[in-house]
Each structure stands twice: as structure tokens, then as C-alpha cells.
Amino acid sequence: MSQAEAAPVGAVTVDSVPVRKRIWTLGLFRSELVTTFRRWRTLALLAVLAGVPILVGIAVKIETSGDSPAAGGGGGGPAFIAQITNNGLFLVFTALAATLPFFLPMAVGVVAGDAIAGEASAGTLRYLLVAPAGRTRLLLTKYAATMTFCLVATLVVAATALATGALLFPLGDVVTISGTRIGFGEGLVRALLIALVVAASLVGIAALGLFVSTLTNSGIAAMATTVGLLITVQILDQIPQLHAIQPYLFSHRWLSFADLMREPVYWDDLVKNLGLQGLYAAVFGSAAWARFTAKDITA
Amino acid sequence: MAASTAGESVIETRALTKRYGGGQLAVDGLDLTVPAGSVFGFLGPNGSGKTTTIRMLMGLIAPTSGAARVLGEPMPRATRTVLPHVGALIEGPALYGYLSGRDNLIRYDSADPAADPRTRRARVATALDRVGLTAAAGKKAKAYSLGMKQRLGLAAALLQPRRLLVLDEPTNGLDPQGMREIRSLVRELASDGTTVFLSSHLLDEIEQVCTHAAVMARGRLLTQGPVAELAAGARGRLVVTTPDPGDAARVLKERGVADLTVTDDGVTGEPPAPGTDLADLNAALVAAGVRVRGFGVERASLEDAFVALTGEGFDVAG
Ligand SMILES: Nc1ncnc2c1ncn2[C@@H]1O[C@H](COP(=O)(O)OP(=O)(O)O)[C@@H](O)[C@H]1O
Ligand SMILES: [Mg+2]
């Protein structure tokens, strides 16, 4: 018997035993991106996000095309909304300010919550692990793909807003919050910078969602929990009595991105926000790792 | 080299035990040895701990106590070096319904860092061809029938040349034609020298394709060894076919044959003790005027072996 199998085993060994040195090949990451962005669900989330700036743009256009161009808004509108009619570029800032509190993090919560738990409920997790994807590698890949989704989702909002703004309103020099004037090109750079900061603001909830995703074998439960946590945190952030803990809520300094529209830029809150996102990523990333690498995969 | 350290056994477990979180003792002190090159049947009724054992062998769950070695390496510690040489089908196939069959395989192959991306498309095509899914490769997996899903799962296990294939109830839910296809594929793979570890709750499946077998019941190993020896371990039956069953039974009883059962066209009983020559027994029957149509000892089946081991039939659920 050992004679009989010596030949084929030998052949296999020569061909493929050199388990290639590059453990961290990008193949899995690429596959993860393809798998994520080919899903109908992902595309639907992006479509909803793209719809927000279009709707805001049309609403502002209709509102102001009447005889009262200096309406000034009902007071409670998103930041920058009053300036859109003068400069379509402001639709980018408005759309990001409008989607950051809920639509964007909700979309990220869905993708992050589903990351591991969705594979578990489909049963595909066990096949990825026996492939063998490696638990740490798979988790890192999932996190990287989720962060890519954060970036893509934010850029979709920004790009749609820019296109809508350019179509419906004039473009031109930008008046900053501080009252100074910057050229349109400089304004575009600021817009891109703001989009990047908004994407980075989602790093915290992405890590939280990934952690939740390692706790259950139900994709739906993980997504619902993550979105539920988002809503809870947003509510807690509104209760004045809780001001002591509010600086530690991941959403507390989200709107600090507006400080990029000051001249000179006011960095204090921006840095605090990014630091907090990093802290969430470290804490919940480690928790997810500890949980996932020790977990029995029975689904 | 992994091949030399593996020695004669591809899977080796020592006192392997798993108690699930809920307190369920699913596998209890399992000592299993799977020889290289064998088609090893892992037999047991539903709930006897087959899947749990396979999950431990594949590093999906950690044993509560005991140890397991696969291809000579300890599991779950060596998953990264061992599993590229192992193809597995565990508890049925699992696929991305929104991806095509081909893209499912590409996804699973990308997950293996040892797989060469340059040969990926070619290997995927070969695997699809091997299980007869080339024509359906572009269809979304959610449109596949159960048999096609099962075959796609097998194709995923065949993306690379493997030294060990672990197939957990690969014919579950298939129609007889599908079962035959899977079995012939298993035989074909085994003839290439791949060791196949095949779990099943179907006795005849094990008897048809396996060279070795282990029998599980309620988490414990009852026996293991070459299939021929296992069956030989149980005693066969002496079977006499005759139109005179009454007379035959009387003669056999006089000669000390125990446990006689008389039917319309014959008598069966325990085979005589090794001291008695079967030919003498037959001569005695004929001398007593019994017209003998057939005479012999029927080889025991694996089922007889199982009944002898457990004292019960095979269909008991755990
Ligand atoms: N994830 C789990 N949690 C708790 N108990 C389990 C789990 N999976 C299986 N069991 C129990 O362990 C025992 C063995 O199950 P299993 O290994 O699936 O058997 P088999 O594959 O032979 O049908 C059964 O009693 C089953 O109920
Ligand atoms: Mg099972």
C-alpha cells in the first residue's frame, strides 16, 4: 500500500508542497472585493446613497426656483445647504453632512455586520477556512474590504453630489466658513479631503460591526445589531446628561469635517475624531480577532 | 517533507474528545488510524459524531481533549501547511448563490494562499470538467440542483492535486443516479492514489467503495480495520437450501448446529465449530435422505458485524 501511494504522493509533493512563501497574497482581498461589489445588495445600498444628493439637489432647485431666492432655509437644514444655489460644489458638503449621521454608517453596518456572520450562515465560512484562508488573514481581508466599501460609498455620495450640483447650479469660487474666498480648484481639493475624512470617520463603526459579526452565525442578526448600536449611539449623543461619555461615542465628532472648510483649517476636532476612530478600530479589531481565532466554526 | 513524516497513516487521533458548549459529548476518546492510500469509510448513524470528528480534523473546532494529526502534522495548529493538501466536503456543499459555478470555484481557490493564481482558471476548468459541470459553469449557483451543488462542492475539493480527500456524507440527498456518479468519482480518485476519508450512515455505500472502515456509535469508536476483516469478525451463517427443511433441521441439531431457523425452502444456523468439517455435515444430511440443493457458509456482511457489535440494528438515531 505504501508502495502504491509513494509515487503519486511524491508527485504532489514536488509540485505543490512549497506552500508559497507569500502568505499575504492579495488574491483573497481581490476576490473579496469582487464578491462584495457584485452583490445586488451592495449595489442597492450604493444606489440609495447616490439618491440622497440627487434628491437634495432637486429639492433645493425646486425650493429656490420660485420668487424667494433668499429663503435662507427653515433653519434646521443640513450644513451648507443655503449656499448650494450660489455654488453647486456645496451640494457635496451638504450631501456628506446629510448622509454621515445615518445613511452612510448604516450601509457600512450592513456590510461589516454581514462580513463573517453572513459567510457563517451561508456555510461558506467553513470552506474558506479549510481552503485554508487562515482566520487572521480572512478577518484582515474582511476589514480591508469593509473599509474599501466605506471609501467607495463616500465617494459615490460625493461624486453624485458634484455631478448633480454641476448640472443644476452654477459653479465658482467658494466662500469658506471663515468668510474668506478660495478658488474653485482649491474648493475641489477640499471636497476630496472632506470625502476622505468622512470615509475615515466610518472606520470605527466598521470595526464594531466586524466584531459583532464574529459573535453570531446569523448575518441578519449581526447587521441588525450593528445598525441598532448605531441608532443607540446617535440617541445617546443627543442626551445632555450624558455629556461625560459623549466624547467617547464614535459618532460624536463626525461633523468635524466641516472644519476643513475654515481658513485656516481648524484641526483640533478633526484630529480627535480620527484618533477616536483609530481607538475603535484597535479595540474592536482586537476583540474581533480574539473572538474569531478562538471560535468553534460549526455552521 | 510532510510526506515522510506522515508515515503510514494520513489521519491519526489519540483520545480525541469533543464536548460542545451545550454540554453534549459528541466525540468520546476517539483513537482513529487512517492508512495512506486507503478508501476509509467512517460509518455511523446520524448523530454519532462523524461530522464533529471531521470538524476537528479540519481545524474548524478545537478538541476538548486529545490530539489529532493529519498528514503527520498536529491539528488545528498546522492548518496552514496541511490543508492545501486536503480537499474537503463537510456537511454538504455551501455556495455563493449569486455567483456562477465557475466564480464560486475561483473564490475558493483565491482563499488558498498556496494556490497559484496564474494557473487558477485552468485548474478551475479542469475541476469543473472532472465533475461534469462544464456546461453549467456560467449559471448562477442558486439555480443549481442539489446534485449539481454537491458536484460543485466536490470540484472545489479537487482544485489542486490532493493527498487526502475528506468527504462527509457526499451522497446525502442525491438520487440513485447521483449516488452512483459520486461513488464512481470516489473510486477514480482513490485509484490515483489519493487517500479518501468518507463518512456515511449507509452501510452498503461503505461496503461498495471502501477498503477500510471505522464504526462509530454515540461518539465512540466501536471498531476499525480493513472492511474484509471487519465483516469476517462477525460469524457468517450456515445456509442449507432443501425441499426437506424439517429433516434437515433434525439432522443438523443432532450434529450440534445451534440457533437453527427453519424456512420454507431451507434451514440456517450457526456455522459449526472449527473442528467439524462442513463436508461431513453435508454427507450426514444426504445419508439421512435430505435432498440438498445448496449448502454453504454465507460470508457475514458489514451489517452483521455492526449488529454483532451493538446488539442493535443500524438505523438507530443518536
Ligand atoms: N454545534 C453543535 N452544538 C452542540 N451540539 C452539537 C453541535 N453539532 C453537533 N452536535 C451534537 O453532537 C452529536 C454528534 O453530531 P454530529 O457530529 O453532527 O454527528 P453525525 O455527523 O455523525 O451525524 C449529536 O448529538 C449532535 O446533536
Ligand atoms: Mg454529519
Side-chain angles (χ1 to χ4, degrees):
Chain A
M1 184 148 302
S2 58
Q3 210 104 19
E5 57 87 35
V9 165
V12 171
T13 306
V14 171
D15 285 347
S16 59
V17 153
V19 168
R20 298 189 316 146
K21 289 288 184 307
R22 290 157 49 213
I23 306 156
W24 301 102
T25 50
L26 288 179
L28 183 56
F29 178 60
R30 196 142 23 90
S31 157
E32 188 63 42
L33 287 185
V34 170
T35 312
T36 304
F37 286 99
R38 228 191 247 176
R39 286 191 81 162
W40 183 86
R41 193 193 64 201
T42 311
L43 300 179
L45 286 172
L46 292 178
V48 168
L49 287 170
V52 172
I54 296 176
L55 285 180
V56 171
I58 292 174
V60 169
K61 184 79 183 171
I62 292 173
E63 180 114 334
T64 55
S65 63
D67 29 13
S68 58
F80 309 111
I81 198 164
Q83 304 205 51
I84 295 176
T85 38
N86 301 326
N87 190 343
L89 186 58
F90 274 94
L91 187 55
V92 175
F93 311 135
T94 306
L96 288 173
T99 49
L100 183 52
F102 190 69
F103 284 104
L104 270 173
M106 185 209 64
V108 171
V110 167
V111 171
D114 198 44
I116 299 289
E119 301 270 6
S121 50
T124 45
L125 181 59
R126 64 175 182 272
Y127 286 110
L128 291 177
L129 290 181
V130 302
R135 297 196 186 199
T136 305
R137 180 167 165 262
L138 181 61
L139 195 67
L140 282 174
T141 303
K142 287 286 185 185
Y143 194 47
T146 307
M147 293 208 287
T148 308
F149 177 79
C150 294
L151 186 64
V152 169
T154 312
L155 291 179
V156 162
V157 172
T160 329
L162 186 60
T164 311
L167 218 62
L168 298 181
F169 308 102
L171 296 175
D173 287 359
V174 175
V175 181
T176 65
I177 296 177
S178 319
T180 57
R181 215 170 239 291
I182 56 176
F184 179 71
E186 167 79 15
L188 266 183
V189 172
R190 296 278 176 109
L192 180 65
L193 217 55
I194 283 178
L196 293 180
V197 167
V198 167
S201 299
L202 300 168
V203 162
I205 184 158
L208 184 64
L210 197 67
F211 172 60
V212 171
S213 193
T214 61
L215 298 180
T216 163
N217 287 337
S218 157
I220 304 277
M223 289 188 267
T225 307
T226 309
V227 174
L229 281 171
L230 166 70
I231 296 171
T232 311
V233 162
Q234 290 286 49
I235 291 172
L236 292 183
D237 205 23
Q238 302 302 318
I239 302 175
Q241 286 83 352
L242 296 177
H243 63 87
I245 61 155
Q246 281 168 356
Y248 302 100
L249 300 178
F250 59 77
S251 66
H252 188 62
R253 289 197 173 82
W254 270 354
L255 295 182
S256 64
F257 76 79
D259 292 344
L260 279 169
M261 284 305 289
R262 291 180 200 278
E263 191 67 33
V265 171
Y266 178 64
W267 289 104
D268 218 25
D269 275 359
L270 280 167
V271 169
K272 275 187 189 153
N273 177 34
L274 295 181
L276 188 64
Q277 301 306 325
L279 185 68
Y280 268 80
V283 169
F284 287 102
S286 311
W289 180 81
R291 169 71 184 151
F292 186 55
T293 51
K295 191 185 183 188
D296 272 0
I297 306 298
T298 55
Chain B
M1 204 158 39
S4 51
T5 49
E8 287 292 310
S9 58
V10 165
I11 296 173
E12 181 118 47
T13 73
R14 216 161 15 77
L16 193 65
T17 300
K18 180 65 186 183
R19 189 182 286 282
Y20 280 111
Q24 173 80 35
L25 186 61
V27 172
D28 185 7
L30 181 65
D31 292 302
L32 196 65
T33 306
V34 176
S38 61
V39 180
F40 195 99
F42 194 44
L43 183 63
N46 289 325
S48 56
K50 304 182 297 294
T51 300
T52 303
T53 304
I54 288 172
R55 286 181 185 141
M56 286 191 278
L57 293 175
M58 298 294 99
L60 291 173
I61 63 177
T64 308
S65 62
R69 296 181 89 82
V70 175
L71 301 177
E73 306 285 332
M75 293 297 279
R77 220 173 52 234
T79 45
R80 194 166 61 75
T81 49
V82 168
L83 292 183
H85 305 289
V86 180
L89 192 62
I90 307 163
E91 274 209 305
L95 305 168
Y96 299 86
Y98 52 92
L99 295 183
S100 69
R102 182 184 294 110
D103 287 340
N104 268 280
L105 295 187
I106 288 175
R107 165 104 174 124
Y108 285 134
D109 197 63
S110 312
D112 178 0
D116 188 345
R118 286 165 301 181
T119 58
R120 182 160 293 147
R121 294 222 149 244
R123 283 181 295 109
V124 164
T126 312
L128 284 166
D129 186 48
R130 187 132 201 202
V131 299
L133 279 180
T134 303
K139 263 214 274 186
K140 293 254 193 303
K142 63 169 172 259
Y144 278 19
S145 70
L146 181 61
M148 290 163 84
K149 286 180 179 162
Q150 198 83 350
R151 281 188 280 159
L152 193 63
L154 260 179
L158 300 178
L159 283 167
Q160 304 239 40
R162 310 286 193 186
R163 293 175 53 198
L164 171 64
L165 276 178
V166 174
L167 307 176
D168 187 14
E169 312 227 17
T171 59
N172 232 7
L174 297 188
D175 58 15
Q177 172 63 20
M179 286 184 166
R180 263 196 301 280
E181 284 172 16
I182 299 276
R183 282 174 196 160
S184 72
L185 193 59
V186 166
R187 283 196 201 94
E188 196 185 309
L189 292 165
S191 69
D192 294 348
T194 309
T195 308
V196 180
F197 185 77
L198 176 80
S199 93
S200 178
H201 66 276
L202 302 174
L203 272 162
D204 56 342
E205 178 161 286
I206 300 282
E207 274 194 310
Q208 281 175 37
V209 297
C210 295
T211 59
H212 293 66
V215 181
M216 294 282 286
R218 295 196 192 86
R220 306 188 123 256
L221 182 68
L222 298 179
T223 184
Q224 64 181 322
V227 167
E229 275 176 32
L230 289 182
R235 309 188 63 198
R237 291 287 286 177
L238 173 69
V239 180
V240 180
T241 317
T242 166
D244 315 314
D247 292 337
R250 185 176 42 77
V251 174
L252 290 173
K253 194 165 184 183
E254 282 166 6
R255 293 283 170 146
V257 175
D259 191 21
L260 287 170
T261 309
V262 181
T263 60
D264 282 350
D265 59 350
V267 182
T268 70
E270 271 188 13
T276 314
D277 191 338
L278 283 174
D280 293 341
L281 212 52
N282 193 9
L285 283 170
V286 176
V290 176
R291 293 167 295 169
V292 178
R293 285 200 187 115
F295 183 93
V297 173
E298 260 182 18
R299 190 177 72 85
S301 70
L302 207 51
E303 178 150 21
D304 297 324
F306 188 84
V307 171
L309 281 164
T310 58
E312 50 194 315
F314 193 71
D315 313 313
V316 277

